Amino acid sequence: GNGIFHEPIAFSAPAILREVRWLADPTLGRGILRLFFDNLRQNGMVPGRVYMTSMTGTDFYHADWGGGFESFDDVHPDRNLKRQVIMGMQRYTKWLANNRDPEGSGLTDVCNHFEAGQEFSRRYTIIDEKADRAEEFTEQFRLKGIDVSVMRYRMVKFLSRVADEIQEKAMANRFIAASEVIQDTIRKKMWDDNAGIFMDMDPKTRRRTGVKAAVGFYPLATDIPTPKQVDALLTTLGDRKEFWTKYPVPSLAISDPFFDADGQWKGTRRNCPWNGRVWPMINSHVIEGLCYHAE
């Protein structure tokens, strides 16, 4: 990126892994993985950014590390790379379990509206009406996010395969057990049958938030949804009163009272609000899901 994004950043790294896999030389993709997982914080957290000379003020971003790594590995399989990064990835999954799922639900928390890279959204203000005033990356609220829970699922499921390949059987079994819990919980707890979409959950009430956001389609790219849920998701996706706009797919359903396609949040033009804008990242995940099920 440019400006403040002109540095290695975790939010974008998995997407870049998907792009650089098409290079004949895998050096850049391998370097991206090693850069982040060789520089974990002491507690196991992946830094949001890696600077040239410092690891201070690096923030944190939830990211689809499992999906990015798996895509890269499909083209450039490398057992040495897997051995180099799997211990770091295991530390990170433990950090997620301890810090973003302390009650052991199988779902993953978002703690402020920056760390999911999707600020200014009713996903968060329905939990905390002041969520859009969060400063930096400090914890402000707790929301069981459908997007970040899917990312954690993809990571532990792929790592179970990696661990098995490099003969780390005990580790592989732990990852398999974790992935089964996450899959079952997302499928049962985050699915809203009436709305035909997966939703975030409020960990305090243990109820779905009722907000229909496009991240609710992210499970399509995995084996999480049942065939019945897939059919319902496709119906919701194609509903012109919900998500099938002139330029699909918006970040928030048209029916939501906070929907705005023109970058306005509470009457103010924002840099990158997620309350109706059409974002390439969301659409890339949706297209990935459509291709997964079409194949």
Side-chain angles (χ1 to χ4, degrees):
N2 55 16
I4 62 171
F5 297 107
H6 194 59
E7 69 250 345
I9 183 168
F11 182 66
S12 306
I16 296 171
L17 282 171
R18 285 176 162 88
E19 295 297 321
V20 301
R21 61 180 160 163
W22 304 119
L23 296 175
D25 184 352
T27 302
L28 181 54
R30 291 172 181 167
I32 289 170
L33 282 164
R34 291 192 60 186
L35 176 68
F36 283 95
F37 287 93
D38 284 354
N39 286 286
L40 293 181
R41 306 300 290 268
Q42 189 172 4
N43 60 6
M45 184 187 82
V46 175
R49 309 162 198 265
V50 180
Y51 301 115
M52 290 290 287
T53 59
S54 170
M55 286 296 292
T56 58
T58 56
D59 309 328
F60 168 72
Y61 286 103
H62 289 282
D64 186 22
W65 288 110
F69 190 8
E70 183 175 18
S71 297
F72 181 77
D73 184 68
D74 283 345
V75 181
H76 297 289
D78 185 340
R79 294 185 71 175
N80 288 331
L81 176 66
K82 291 170 184 171
R83 290 186 181 279
Q84 289 166 1
V85 301
I86 193 169
M87 297 309 295
M89 288 188 163
Q90 180 179 230
R91 284 183 61 203
Y92 175 54
T93 61
K94 288 181 178 179
W95 180 85
L96 282 174
N98 293 334
N99 291 272
R100 291 299 188 269
D101 187 19
E103 67 275 31
S105 68
L107 305 179
T108 306
D109 291 343
V110 178
C111 295
N112 63 66
H113 75 158
F114 292 115
E115 69 178 29
Q118 300 184 21
E119 54 265 33
F120 303 109
S121 171
R122 203 165 75 93
R123 290 182 65 197
Y124 316 122
T125 54
I126 199 166
I127 295 292
D128 179 352
E129 62 182 16
K130 296 182 180 179
D132 56 346
R133 304 178 204 172
E135 295 182 7
E136 300 302 327
F137 283 70
T138 56
E139 179 174 337
Q140 182 172 351
F141 56 84
R142 288 271 172 166
L143 171 73
K144 295 294 182 187
I146 177 60
D147 49 347
V148 299
S149 296
V150 170
M151 291 173 185
R152 181 176 165 199
Y153 172 73
R154 294 183 75 157
M155 187 169 190
V156 295
K157 184 164 188 185
F158 177 61
L159 290 181
S160 69
R161 200 175 90 194
V162 172
D164 186 65
E165 181 183 331
I166 63 174
Q167 303 300 308
E168 294 284 352
K169 299 296 184 181
M171 187 189 298
N173 290 335
R174 289 196 297 271
F175 283 134
I176 290 171
S179 67
E180 289 174 349
V181 170
I182 298 169
Q183 181 192 50
D184 187 63
T185 309
I186 292 176
R187 185 182 286 171
K188 292 179 178 178
K189 301 292 186 181
M190 306 187 94
W191 174 253
D192 191 292
D193 205 40
N194 292 328
I197 195 170
F198 289 91
M199 292 180 178
D200 302 319
M201 284 185 63
D202 183 339
K204 291 182 179 179
T205 64
R206 298 185 181 182
R207 295 178 178 176
R208 293 180 294 277
T209 62
V211 176
K212 289 177 278 189
V215 291
F217 295 113
Y218 281 18
L220 270 174
T222 72
D223 59 356
I224 291 173
T226 65
K228 183 180 178 181
Q229 288 170 340
V230 170
D231 289 342
L233 282 166
L234 297 179
T235 298
T236 304
L237 180 64
D239 188 340
R240 296 185 182 276
K241 295 180 181 179
E242 297 290 356
F243 288 97
W244 205 255
T245 62
K246 183 178 180 181
Y247 304 105
V249 175
S251 45
L252 191 66
I254 306 168
S255 60
D256 192 280
F258 279 73
F259 175 85
D260 189 288
D262 299 315
Q264 301 279 336
W265 171 257
K266 294 182 178 179
T268 301
R269 174 87 173 203
R270 297 290 184 176
N271 183 36
C272 51
W274 288 71
N275 64 318
R277 274 283 180 87
V278 175
W279 290 101
M281 186 185 83
I282 279 180
N283 279 268
S284 295
H285 281 297
V286 171
I287 290 169
E288 183 183 20
L290 295 175
C291 290
Y292 178 84
H293 283 282
E295 290 174 352

